[in-house]
């Protein structure tokens, strides 16, 4: 009888240990994961417009013509543009996309068409609550078509607790009206690693349309387009988010995501 009781006493801690292990399984908050993916997608869309604005357009440009009202420095001999977003600059207010830091644009100094190759570098550049670190490359092979690429670009949060690393290839189609850039359509594929180390993929399934008239008002969300976001899980499985950009007014866009569990989430309720 004593042996049986001893056996029961030994087994109880083992059973309790198994229950504790099961309780430690972390469940992903799909809404938070969607918000992180949205921040990544937005940061890439927002910054690309500055590179696609064009060398000629930056000549004698009033800084107020760009969102964030950067100080624009033109070095014609080196074919360089520096956009310095000074926090002290008086500018059209926007709580969502306040900018600080610098963007350096290096244009092709060996070509008669500087826009044919552009390197965009970020120097402590911050848009909203996220910083960008690294470089992006743009190659314009005709007046309206541009290829874009980036490798291991870093997007990290203000307190540096969340870091996303992405690489990607993009195609941009430029539209002009009366000689001025009026809109940009973007499509492409992005892959990387999210803040918790999971593989992510962003595919623009229907081109995103960025109107320059809205961008100048610091309304940076595309007026149309669709994306598919995928995030890796265990056992090589993936979950999928379907995202749509829907214009409700001239420059007011609602961004909706269908979560993997079927719920619909408005990602930009304050805009």
């Amino acid at each position: 009888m004593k042996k049986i009781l001893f056996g029961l006493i030994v087994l109880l801690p083992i059973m309790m240990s198994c229950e504790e292990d099961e309780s430690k399984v972390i469940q992903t908050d799909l809404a938070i994961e969607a918000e992180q993916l949205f921040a990544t997608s937005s940061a890439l869309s927002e910054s690309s417009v500055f590179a696609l604005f064009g060398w000629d357009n930056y000549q004698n440009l009033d800084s107020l013509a760009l969102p964030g009202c950067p100080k624009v420095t033109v070095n014609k001999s080196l074919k360089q543009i520096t956009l310095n977003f000074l926090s002290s600059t008086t500018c059209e207010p926007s709580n969502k996309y306040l900018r600080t830091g610098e963007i350096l644009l290096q244009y092709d100094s060996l070509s008669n068409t500087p826009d044919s190759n552009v390197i965009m570098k970020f120097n402590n550049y911050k848009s909203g609550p996220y910083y960008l670190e690294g470089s992006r490359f743009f190659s314009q092979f005709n007046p309206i078509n541009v290829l874009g690429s980036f490798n291991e670009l870093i997007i990290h949060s203000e307190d540096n607790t969340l870091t996303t690393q992405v690489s990607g290839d993009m195609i941009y189609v430029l539209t002009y009206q009366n000689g001025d850039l009026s809109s940009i359509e973007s499509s492409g594929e992005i892959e990387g690693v999210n803040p918790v180390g999971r593989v992510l993929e962003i595919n623009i399934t229907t081109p995103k349309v960025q109107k320059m008239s809205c961008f100048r008002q610091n309304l940076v969300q595309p007026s149309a387009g669709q994306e598919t976001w995928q995030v890796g899980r265990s056992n090589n499985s993936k979950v999928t988010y379907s995202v749509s950009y829907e214009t409700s007014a001239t420059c007011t866009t609602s961004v909706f995501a269908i979560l993997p569990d079927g719920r619909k989430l408005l990602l930009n309720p304050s805009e």
Side-chain angles (χ1 to χ4, degrees), residues 40-56:
T40 298
S41 179
S42 297
L44 296 171
S45 295
E46 181 271 339
S47 60
S48 64
V49 182
F50 293 109
L52 297 169
F53 194 65
W55 167 261
D56 289 338

Side-chain angles (χ1 to χ4, degrees), residues 112-133:
N112 293 327
T113 54
D115 292 322
S116 58
N117 289 289
V118 184
I119 300 174
M120 167 185 271
K121 295 183 179 180
F122 301 103
N123 181 16
N124 208 33
Y125 176 67
K126 179 186 176 187
S127 175
Y130 287 89
Y131 287 92
L132 276 76
E133 177 184 338

